[in-house]
């Protein structure tokens, strides 16, 4: 397909906006009378003339609708406002003095700007009856079909505050079609990112997090098709939100109206968040994507966008890490960790991460959180002797922290009980014996930064695992009741501010985003992290489902996976070591087991597989990912192909053998048809055409059988 450059245009005469990405166009127009922007098109490229015709046709069509009991514009709005003749759920609900909720605006102007590799359009609307401006922002990139949208609200009044009840980043309007099948990610702790597909009927479908974190239970992403898209073919619309706190995704569709998906921060009824006089509030970005390449094509576009525009240092190759958590739990001390470090280095690990239990009086989960001083009984010389040892073994050193949290049994809580979320006169609910610090408070943000900065300045640390192990409850701030509604927004920006400042000051430190496993996986966190801890569930069978869902939007380069011990603590399942490695090798490989208990045979196999992973990880971490079959199918595979198509890796899994059937050939994807590829099975050479048209026949027998096939193009 020919590639064209991205562009944005706005015709002030007709009010038509047109966004062009390399392979798609997106169009809307600003209504003449009420200045409400109406969406008209999202799909393969069109011209400015097409866009103008669509605007005219839509204007006529909406004007011809019988207006009794309904608003003809409902469902078509680029950004539905609360107020006026509008009966759908709004993207923007503001409350002005006098309990007035209606927003009426007029277009004040527009701006078009260009930056390095992107073009921006801003439509600036002025409220008719208040000193307030709402700016709708659009950004297109030269190297992606993803469109970024966000909104900036400015309270221009010097005296009056405005209450924000809802401020979404975008409304995405779907084309009118017979069926709207919505793919989304659901789950819970230890079962994150489960892919589901459901039909959107004439109703509202709300997916949200009310927990203060992105959540294990839903992820801010969807893909919409007409029920016919497959992994390889079909028109798919998709969108996400770059946000790590509570959020809402609301899909709405009424009879004879288009489906419209609103995406924004804050769950339903969170607030309000008061916008003080002269205050400006910028929403997180919501990104949207249209592709004709099916669900696989949508994932490719998301992965490439993530690596080019979200993830810092995406070109780095992530090291194989060892993490102490499943090996030692809270039972950490210098001698034990030294022994583990030696064994980890012997396996070929490149980064040693000391998990929970090294600080304060943290000998279990009941005490110590918040006291970020090294436990002197466990580490009498501080962390330095262990760190020096780890470095001498040729590994980087990583440390676990949970900065947003305190145990009531901690020095910091005893000194500052008012720093946690709570309601006056009520006992705040403990979860995992801990309370959430109020990071909407600037003094708490400053304190957290100071503690972590001191830790990173005093120790030669290469990696930080930032954990967050409980959702918000009792979201009160009794000292400042007027600011209470802010916390759902300001806590997240507080977390971002701390990580951003730490990254600036300690550029050599990589961050792993974790929230009791995968409770905080989103583009907001990805923008300031190097990888995600995807789930506490390391059972290889469950993990394949979790990884399948994760891969719908997030790239393998960010997916941290460990091989741990048997039986797994989650379900007591026993899966052979090679299968477990092959599942973990589908992302950023790590090891998390009690290595002292591994047999000589297991250690040798682990060493061999880690060595193999290092030889192929550039393909897994930076190549294009193809899902070859659903995880429940035997045999299903994941394949990775380098950008120049010179190398590929296929990981094939047979969970359970049925009868005496042999696996069918697995048709590969993304290779050069006319290229010849050598398989690492002793030298078979096959053309790309054969590998993709006929496939490879994996030799797998029995249950939990797996194999890794490495292909290299020969000249
Ligand atoms: C939850 C994380 O997901 C685990 O990996 C581990 O770090 C524990 N917290 C430690 O408390």
């Amino acid at each position: 397909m020919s590639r064209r450059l991205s562009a944005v245009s706005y015709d002030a005469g007709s009010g038509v906006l047109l966004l062009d990405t390399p392979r798609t166009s997106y169009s809307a127009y600003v209504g003449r009378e009420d200045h409400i922007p109406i969406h008209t098109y999202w799909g393969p490229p069109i011209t400015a003339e097409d866009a103008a015709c669509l605007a005219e046709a839509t204007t006529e069509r909406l004007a011809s609708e019988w207006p009794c009991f309904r608003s003809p514009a409902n469902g078509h709005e680029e950004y539905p406002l609360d107020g006026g003749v509008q009966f759908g759920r709004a993207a923007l609900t503001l409350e002005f003095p006098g309990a007035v909720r209606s927003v009426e605006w007029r277009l004040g102007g527009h701006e078009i700007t260009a930056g390095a590799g992107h073009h921006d359009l801003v439509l600036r609307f002025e409220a008719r009856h208040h000193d307030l401006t709402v700016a709708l922002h659009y950004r297109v990139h030269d190297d992606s079909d993803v469109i970024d949208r966000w909104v900036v609200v400015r309270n221009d009044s010097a005296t009056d505050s405005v209450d924000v009840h809802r401020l979404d980043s975008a409304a995405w309007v779907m084309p009118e079609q017979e069926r709207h099948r919505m793919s989304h990610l659901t789950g819970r702790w230890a079962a994150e990112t489960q892919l589901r597909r459901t039909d959107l009927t004439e109703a509202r479908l709300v997916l949200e997090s009310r927990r203060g974190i992105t959540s294990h239970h839903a992820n801010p992403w969807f893909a919409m098709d007409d029920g016919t898209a497959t992994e390889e073919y079909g028109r798919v619309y998709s969108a996400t939100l770059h946000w790590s706190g509570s959020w809402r995704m609301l899909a709405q569709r009424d009879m004879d109206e288009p489906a419209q998906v609103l995406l924004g921060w804050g769950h339903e009824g969170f607030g309000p968040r008061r916008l003080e006089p002269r205050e400006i509030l910028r929403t997180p970005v919501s990104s949207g994507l249209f592709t004709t390449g099916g669900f696989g094509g949508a994932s490719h576009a998301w992965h490439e966008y993530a690596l080019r525009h979200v993830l810092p240092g995406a070109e780095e190759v992530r090291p194989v890490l060892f993490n102490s958590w499943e090996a030692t739990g809270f039972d950490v001390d210098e001698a034990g960790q030294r022994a583990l470090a030696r064994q980890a280095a012997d396996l070929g690990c490149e980064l040693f991460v000391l998990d929970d239990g090294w600080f304060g009086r943290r000998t279990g989960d009941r005490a110590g959180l918040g006291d970020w001083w090294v436990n002197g009984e466990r580490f009498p010389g501080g962390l330095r002797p262990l760190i020096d040892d780890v470095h001498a073994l040729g590994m980087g050193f990583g440390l676990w922290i949970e900065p947003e949290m305190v145990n009531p049994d901690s020095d910091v809580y005893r000194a500052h009980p008012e720093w946690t979320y709570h309601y006056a006169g009520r006992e705040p609910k403990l979860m995992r014996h801990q309370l959430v610090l109020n990071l909407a408070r600037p003094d708490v943000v400053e304190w957290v930064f100071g503690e972590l900065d001191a830790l990173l300045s005093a120790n030669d640390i290469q990696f930080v695992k930032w954990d967050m192990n409980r959702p918000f409850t009792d979201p009160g701030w009794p000292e400042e009741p007027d600011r209470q509604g802010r916390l759902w927004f300001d806590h997240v920006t507080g977390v971002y501010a701390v990580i951003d400042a730490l990254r600036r000051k300690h550029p050599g430190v990589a961050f792993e985003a974790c929230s009791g496993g995968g409770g905080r996986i989103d583009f907001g966190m990805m923008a300031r992290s190097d990888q995600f801890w995807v789930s506490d569930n390391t059972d290889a069978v469950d993990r394949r489902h979790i990884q399948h869902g994760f891969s719908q939007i997030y790239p393998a380069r960010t997916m941290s996976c460990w091989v741990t011990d048997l039986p797994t603590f989650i379900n007591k399942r026993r899966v052979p070591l090679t299968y477990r490695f092959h599942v973990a090798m589908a992302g950023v490989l790590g090891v998390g087991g009690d290595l002292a208990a591994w047999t000589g045979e297991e250690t040798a196999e682990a060493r061999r597989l880690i060595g193999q992973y290092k030889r192929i990880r550039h393909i897994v971490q930076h190549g294009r990912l193809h899902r070859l079959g659903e995880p429940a199918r035997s045999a299903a595979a994941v394949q990775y192909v380098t950008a120049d198509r010179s190398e590929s890796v296929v990981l094939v899994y047979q969970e359970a053998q049925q009868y005496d059937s042999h696996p069918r050939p697995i048709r590969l994807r993304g290779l050069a048809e006319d290229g010849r590829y050598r398989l690492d099975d002793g030298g078979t050479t096959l053309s790309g055409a054969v590998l993709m048209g006929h496939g490879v026949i994996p030799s797998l027998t029995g249950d939990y059988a797996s194999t890794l096939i490495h292909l290299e193009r020969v000249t």
Side-chain angles (χ1 to χ4, degrees):
M1 209 176 283
S2 68
R3 270 184 82 84
R4 53 180 198 154
L5 284 187
S6 298
V8 295
S9 66
Y10 181 73
D11 184 309
S14 62
V16 174
L17 72 87
L18 178 62
L19 312 180
D20 289 323
T21 73
R23 279 164 293 251
T24 71
S25 292
Y26 181 105
S27 190
Y29 68 93
V30 178
R32 289 217 170 142
E33 279 161 30
D34 56 9
H35 289 206
I36 299 289
I38 298 294
H39 179 86
T40 55
Y41 182 81
W42 195 8
I46 60 169
T47 63
E49 204 183 348
D50 292 332
C53 290
L54 284 172
E56 254 176 60
T58 311
T59 310
E60 267 172 41
R61 181 181 160 198
L62 300 188
S64 71
E65 303 268 353
W66 182 246
C68 260
F69 295 106
R70 65 184 285 219
S71 159
N74 270 188
H76 296 270
E77 307 100 326
E78 271 291 284
Y79 197 67
L81 309 177
D82 209 345
V85 185
Q86 211 290 116
F87 303 107
R89 297 286 267 274
L92 180 69
T93 301
L94 301 178
E95 186 174 331
F96 298 100
V100 175
R101 282 207 175 197
S102 174
V103 178
E104 291 172 19
W105 68 20
R106 67 175 155 255
L107 185 67
H110 77 278
E111 276 160 41
I112 289 180
T113 51
H118 64 84
H119 304 266
D120 291 10
L121 169 68
V122 187
L123 299 178
R124 217 171 290 288
F125 296 90
E126 289 157 5
R128 287 180 195 237
H129 311 286
H130 303 275
D131 289 334
L132 180 122
T133 317
V134 182
L136 305 188
H137 289 251
Y138 295 87
R139 171 169 293 175
V140 292
H141 303 270
D142 284 341
D143 60 2
S144 172
D145 289 318
V146 170
I147 298 171
D148 293 334
R149 293 178 60 182
W150 68 97
V151 177
V152 178
V153 179
R154 203 178 64 199
N155 181 4
D156 297 316
S157 167
T159 49
D160 294 338
S161 59
V162 181
D163 279 345
V164 176
H165 289 269
R166 191 76 226 155
L167 176 58
D168 284 329
S169 301
W172 299 99
V173 181
M174 301 295 119
E176 291 166 75
Q177 54 198 27
E178 187 63 25
R179 211 178 140 195
H180 293 83
R181 180 171 60 169
M182 190 152 169
S183 306
H184 64 96
L185 298 171
T186 183
R188 62 166 172 78
W189 174 79
E192 297 85 340
T193 53
Q194 304 291 313
L195 179 64
R196 298 280 189 270
R197 301 200 204 278
T198 181
D199 270 12
L200 183 64
T201 56
E202 285 144 331
R204 313 272 176 269
L205 174 70
V206 178
L207 292 153
E208 66 177 352
S209 161
R210 311 178 64 83
R211 296 162 196 261
I213 47 173
T214 323
S215 95
H216 307 74
H217 298 74
N219 197 268
W221 166 85
F222 76 89
M224 188 91 84
D225 77 302
D226 65 359
T228 62
T230 63
E231 188 64 17
E232 285 177 275
Y233 308 104
R235 295 162 61 96
V236 175
Y237 294 84
S238 183
T240 189
L241 185 71
H242 302 223
W243 187 244
S244 313
S246 286
W247 54 273
R248 181 191 75 168
M249 180 164 89
L250 183 142
Q252 52 186 346
R253 183 181 165 216
D254 279 339
M255 188 171 162
D256 294 335
E257 288 177 9
Q260 188 185 45
V261 185
L262 314 183
L263 252 170
W265 65 274
H267 51 267
E268 300 218 320
F270 68 86
R273 187 199 185 283
R274 186 149 295 166
L275 200 59
E276 302 296 346
R278 303 261 186 241
E279 196 183 347
I280 296 173
L281 194 59
R282 181 193 152 127
T283 70
V285 169
S286 174
S287 300
L289 166 75
F290 165 75
T291 172
T292 53
F295 300 118
S299 296
H300 298 158
W302 282 125
H303 296 172
E304 276 150 30
Y305 167 81
L307 297 179
R308 288 176 187 153
H309 299 290
V310 186
L311 184 72
E315 64 295 340
E316 283 165 22
V317 171
R318 294 303 309 150
V320 177
L321 67 72
F322 177 86
N323 179 292
S324 69
W325 176 245
E326 289 208 25
T328 44
F330 290 105
D331 210 2
V332 297
D333 62 21
E334 193 178 307
Q337 296 301 303
R338 273 191 158 147
L340 270 176
R342 272 195 301 280
Q343 288 151 342
D346 180 48
L347 283 188
C349 294
E350 300 158 307
L351 178 66
F352 181 85
V353 184
L354 170 58
D355 210 282
D356 203 345
W358 58 268
F359 53 90
R361 294 177 196 87
R362 184 79 169 166
T363 53
D365 59 9
R366 287 175 180 270
L369 269 181
D371 295 340
W372 300 111
W373 40 268
V374 181
N375 182 307
E377 279 166 31
R378 297 176 156 209
F379 297 91
L383 293 176
R384 194 168 290 171
L386 173 64
I387 294 178
D388 288 347
D389 236 40
V390 166
H391 288 163
L393 288 163
M395 297 186 289
F397 183 81
L399 196 62
W400 177 96
I401 51 172
E402 193 178 358
E404 297 156 77
M405 231 43 86
V406 292
N407 287 119
D409 184 2
S410 65
D411 295 347
V412 64
Y413 183 74
R414 279 183 282 274
H416 292 288
E418 78 286 3
W419 279 6
T420 57
Y421 293 123
H422 64 287
Y423 290 122
R426 304 260 183 106
E427 207 43 53
K429 272 34 118 235
L430 293 175
M431 293 179 82
R432 210 194 188 203
H433 314 287
Q434 59 197 57
L435 296 171
V436 187
L437 279 174
N438 179 349
L439 264 86
R441 290 178 62 132
D443 54 348
V444 177
V445 168
E446 207 177 306
W447 175 81
V448 171
F449 171 76
E451 294 296 290
L452 301 182
D453 179 35
L455 198 60
L456 295 179
S457 302
N459 297 288
D460 191 2
I461 290 174
Q462 284 69 52
F463 180 92
V464 159
K465 176 176 173 186
W466 181 298
D467 205 347
M468 201 294 183
N469 277 303
R470 60 154 292 174
F472 293 16
T473 58
D474 312 276
W477 187 350
E479 298 75 23
E480 301 219 40
D482 279 355
R483 297 176 77 82
Q484 185 151 319
R486 301 176 75 100
L487 65 91
W488 300 102
F489 189 89
D490 294 16
H491 183 104
V492 180
T493 52
V495 169
Y496 289 171
V498 173
I499 304 178
D500 292 347
L502 290 173
R503 288 188 79 102
R504 270 195 304 277
K505 189 148 181 220
H506 305 276
V509 180
F511 282 73
E512 181 171 71
C514 169
S515 174
R520 226 189 217 159
I521 297 170
D522 60 81
F523 278 175
M525 211 56 183
M526 188 193 284
R528 40 194 53 84
S529 304
D530 297 82
Q531 59 194 52
F532 291 114
W533 181 226
V534 174
S535 180
D536 280 343
N537 186 344
T538 50
D539 168 66
V541 174
D542 289 349
R543 194 67 183 221
R544 283 185 53 218
H545 293 264
I546 294 168
Q547 296 181 183
H548 183 75
F550 182 94
S551 76
Q552 300 297 318
I553 170 163
Y554 305 109
R557 161 68 181 72
T558 62
M559 186 172 80
S560 174
C561 315
W562 312 338
V563 175
T564 56
D565 292 330
L566 295 181
T568 57
F569 79 100
I570 292 286
N571 53 23
K572 308 282 175 251
R573 192 164 12 228
R574 291 177 177 276
V575 173
L577 188 76
T578 310
Y579 193 92
R580 282 183 275 145
F581 260 96
H582 282 157
V583 172
M585 286 161 83
V588 177
L589 177 65
V591 179
D594 181 7
L595 301 181
W598 288 23
T599 64
E601 214 176 296
E602 285 173 328
T603 305
E605 176 68 346
R607 202 180 292 123
R608 181 185 77 76
L609 287 162
I610 289 173
Q612 187 182 30
Y613 178 74
K614 288 179 184 168
R615 289 192 295 280
I616 55 97
R617 67 177 154 190
H618 62 285
I619 314 171
V620 172
Q621 294 186 15
H622 296 130
R624 179 174 271 198
L625 183 153
H626 297 270
R627 293 177 292 261
L628 312 180
E630 306 277 320
R633 216 194 76 193
S634 263
V638 277
Q639 183 198 353
Y640 306 80
V641 186
T642 54
D644 64 0
R645 298 170 188 241
S646 65
E647 277 189 278
S648 181
V649 163
V650 192
L651 287 156
V652 194
Y653 310 101
Q654 173 165 284
E655 202 170 289
Q657 169 143 22
Q658 289 185 310
Y659 318 111
D660 59 350
S661 310
H662 295 297
R664 285 191 295 268
I666 295 185
R667 280 197 287 279
L668 305 189
R669 293 188 200 142
L671 303 175
E673 292 230 348
D674 55 355
R676 291 200 69 77
Y677 292 86
R678 183 179 303 116
L679 279 64
D680 62 351
D681 64 349
T684 320
T685 302
L686 291 167
S687 70
V690 167
L691 289 162
M692 294 191 291
H694 173 266
V696 286
I697 304 175
S699 66
L700 297 174
T701 317
D703 297 347
Y704 302 128
S706 60
T707 187
L708 183 155
I709 306 167
H710 180 199
L711 300 94
E712 279 177 290
R713 191 170 175 173
V714 289
T715 41

